[in-house]
Structures are given as structure tokens and as C-alpha cells.
Amino acid sequence: MKTPDKPTVCNILAIICGLWFLLAGWVWVYLVNLVIVFPFAIIGFFLWRAGRSAEQKILNRVAGWLLVSGLLVSLVSLVMLLIKN
């Protein structure tokens, strides 16, 4: 079995961080989002940047779109919370 190269590992870890950011990004109760979710988003962003290569375009795009959609979900959730209160 061939061991995965560095961009593949970075992209897979960025996808995992992006999924966490997307799934938990709406939690703004007592600003828990800033402590639990956003550090994973920042780590995922740096992993996404490190995982860019010519061979792994699909994984890199998936990771990027997960991070962007997690950011949108988080911001929309924050705006809805601020309007409601």
C-alpha cells in the first residue's frame, strides 16, 4: 500500500475540520462558537492552504467549499441570533 503524500493528508484533515465547522458553525449559544468551532476553521484553513497541489485539485476544492459554506452558515446563524434578540 502506498503511503499518502503531504497534500493528500492536509486535504483530508482540512475536510474533517471543514465538516466540523459546517456542522457546528450554527452554535452561538454563549458564544461557544468562538471557542469550539472557529479554532477548527482556522486550522482547516491553514491545512487547506498547505494541501494545494496539482494532483489533488478535487480534494482541495471540497475542503475549500466546506470551509466557505461553514463560514456562511456561521455568519447567517449569528445574524439571525442578533436579529432575534
Side-chain angles (χ1 to χ4, degrees):
M1 179 195 262
K2 181 182 169 186
T3 58
D5 54 349
K6 181 185 173 196
T8 304
V9 172
C10 287
N11 281 325
I12 291 172
L13 291 173
I15 288 173
I16 292 170
C17 289
L19 280 172
W20 176 255
F21 188 38
L22 181 63
L23 294 175
W26 59 271
V27 180
W28 279 100
V29 180
Y30 300 113
L31 300 177
V32 165
N33 200 352
L34 296 175
V35 177
I36 296 176
V37 180
F38 272 93
F40 283 96
I42 294 169
I43 292 168
F45 174 75
F46 286 118
L47 287 170
W48 172 73
R49 296 274 307 191
R52 294 190 302 180
S53 77
E55 302 91 32
Q56 299 296 330
K57 287 195 181 273
I58 299 294
L59 285 177
N60 195 262
R61 286 184 187 194
V62 168
W65 280 109
L66 281 172
L67 290 169
V68 167
S69 59
L71 181 64
L72 289 175
V73 165
S74 180
L75 292 177
V76 167
S77 169
L78 178 64
V79 168
M80 288 174 46
L81 178 74
L82 292 175
I83 289 173
K84 182 181 174 189
N85 289 337

